[in-house]
Amino acid sequence: MHTTLSPDEPVLVLAAGSSSLRLALFAADGTRIAGRATETAPGPDTAEELRGFLAGVPAPAAVGHRLVHGGPHLTEHALVDARVRALLKEASGLARLHLPPALAVVDTAMELLPDIPHVACFDTVFHRSLPAAAYEYAVPERWRVEYGLRRYGFHGLSYAWTLERAAEALDRPVGDFQAVLVHLGGGCSACAVRDGRSVDTTMGFTPLEGLVMSRRSGSVDPGALLWLQRHHGLSAEELEDALHRRSGLLGLSGTSGDTRDLVRARAEGEARAAGALAVFVHSCRRGIASMAASLDRLDALVFTGEIGEDQPEVREEICSGLQVLGVGGHLSVPPLKDLRDEGTRRIHHPGADVPVVVVATGETQQMAAETRRLLRG
């Protein structure tokens, strides 16, 4: 098997989530040749889904796989071999809802495409530069040293893509750019970037910590979880299911975890939808402000992710409450098609102290780029 890639060969990208699978084929210049997405978790039908996709596209020369968590040992994107696959199995308990289905996709793809290289692209790699003050938890030494309890950070592939494009849009070199990046989608997080490096982030040991999300709770007082166990008999499995699948915007509204639904419902006078959005916006503002505290200055606030790029009402409400950081409202609203075609838009009003930028989501493009970078001959 060749583990180098010639400049003109296409790359297949497989991004498996806990409840979805995205497939895309990219040309050498980053152009998307073809793509497909499923709204069901990877499972027994994944092999047939992949076969069907491959039957209609040029043969890929390599495959890039999105893995949410690299664990303590995989701190760079890596060629999948027996050692890496074993380390991924060890790390699977750190992201029980994300890694097992993603590893099943890796195994399926390697069986169907055994003669080309497969690359693991990790969301945690972007945050390997976190300083100890940002990644350490104030817990007993044994937990930190022996058990490996620390903040890892996630959404790294999205942040890597977003950082480059935001700096370019503002004509700033990445190495002299300080910004808060905000990924808002099904999962939500914020990240502080100083001089091209992640120095703080809201997600932690797992993708559950931090901002309120679509169906995930975000940060909850650990004492409250202990209380639920002791006084209401909730098991670890029950807590995990509730915090990951029945909390967040869905838990607050009782109807939907989708901000588009909630914005419409609020306009129709539904109080629970309005309350859910208020909690979400407050959580985002608090997260952004905490990230700004890790910077020397704030050169920009940058939004990405499905909500970040496609929910102008949410962007406006977040920014209008951040005057303390020099961020203001009255943002422009670029047509979604134009944003996706152009990739980046500056949306702050002309007199703003701090620029606000929105970047079209680019995780799959970043995966293709990282795969090429690793396999460059």
Side-chain angles (χ1 to χ4, degrees):
M1 179 178 69
H2 296 290
T3 56
T4 57
L5 195 65
S6 66
D8 59 343
E9 294 180 300
V11 167
L12 174 66
V13 164
L14 301 177
S18 58
S19 60
S20 65
L21 175 63
R22 286 177 292 162
L23 307 90
L25 190 74
F26 289 93
D29 63 357
T31 302
R32 192 168 104 151
I33 299 170
R36 183 183 298 178
T38 70
E39 296 304 320
T40 56
D45 297 332
T46 298
E48 193 58 36
E49 183 78 29
L50 185 52
R51 279 195 197 94
F53 180 76
L54 291 170
V57 299
V63 184
H65 297 269
R66 181 192 176 209
L67 283 305
V68 165
H69 214 309
H73 303 297
L74 295 168
T75 58
E76 301 283 352
H77 306 304
L79 188 69
V80 181
D81 55 18
R83 172 185 166 275
V84 167
R85 183 62 181 83
L87 289 172
L88 285 169
K89 184 178 180 180
E90 284 182 23
S92 61
L94 299 174
R96 281 166 35 96
L97 300 183
H98 294 84
L99 272 184
L103 290 178
V105 171
V106 171
D107 293 341
T108 298
M110 292 186 76
E111 288 177 9
L112 292 177
L113 299 166
D115 299 323
I116 61 176
H118 292 249
V119 172
C121 300
F122 300 108
D123 267 320
T124 46
V125 165
F126 186 76
H127 303 290
R128 67 187 182 276
S129 55
L130 287 176
Y135 74 69
E136 291 273 33
Y137 286 115
V139 295
E141 182 179 16
R142 185 177 185 183
W143 295 12
R144 290 180 280 113
V145 176
E146 187 176 333
Y147 302 159
L149 196 65
R150 56 158 291 168
R151 174 170 282 105
Y152 284 99
F154 301 93
H155 289 139
L157 292 162
S158 175
Y159 286 140
W161 177 265
T162 300
L163 171 61
E164 293 281 348
R165 276 134 200 89
E168 182 180 1
L170 295 170
D171 196 26
R172 299 290 297 264
V174 170
D176 184 32
F177 185 50
Q178 301 198 35
V180 174
L181 313 181
V182 190
H183 179 106
L184 301 179
C188 301
S189 71
C191 172
V193 172
R194 183 195 298 138
D195 304 335
R197 298 166 67 86
S198 172
V199 294
D200 205 354
T201 189
T202 55
M203 280 182 169
F205 183 66
T206 74
L208 188 59
E209 186 181 3
L211 309 184
V212 171
M213 306 178 216
S214 177
R215 293 170 178 265
R216 283 178 248 165
S217 64
S219 294
V220 176
D221 179 354
L225 304 182
L226 295 172
W227 178 81
L228 287 168
Q229 287 182 311
R230 287 199 184 106
H231 293 274
H232 295 278
L234 270 66
S235 66
E237 289 73 19
E238 289 172 312
L239 288 172
E240 181 177 62
D241 178 66
L243 295 172
H244 279 276
R245 296 190 175 95
R246 296 186 287 111
S247 297
L249 287 167
L250 176 63
L252 289 165
S253 69
T255 55
S256 177
D258 190 321
T259 54
R260 294 169 296 187
D261 295 338
L262 298 178
V263 167
R264 286 192 292 267
R266 181 178 62 180
E268 295 167 1
E270 291 190 21
R272 287 189 67 181
L277 287 168
V279 172
F280 180 75
V281 166
H282 180 70
S283 171
C284 291
R285 289 175 183 164
R286 182 164 52 192
I288 291 166
S290 70
M291 292 300 100
S294 290
L295 302 176
D296 303 317
R297 62 180 190 273
L298 185 59
D299 294 332
L301 174 61
V302 187
F303 289 94
T304 192
E306 294 89 342
I307 297 171
E309 73 177 41
D310 189 24
Q311 281 282 261
E313 301 91 345
V314 172
R315 291 196 303 259
E316 179 67 31
E317 289 172 38
I318 291 170
C319 291
S320 64
L322 289 173
Q323 292 95 335
V324 68
L325 298 181
V327 176
H330 307 291
L331 305 175
S332 64
V333 182
L336 187 58
K337 183 180 184 303
D338 291 350
L339 171 62
R340 289 176 175 168
D341 287 345
E342 297 170 20
T344 309
R345 276 290 185 97
R346 300 167 63 155
I347 59 173
H348 51 280
H349 68 83
D353 293 329
V354 174
V356 179
V357 179
V358 58
V359 176
T361 309
E363 285 171 319
T364 52
Q365 295 96 314
Q366 187 67 26
M367 290 168 60
E370 297 291 0
T371 299
R372 287 189 183 281
R373 191 172 293 118
L374 185 70
L375 299 175
R376 189 174 293 144

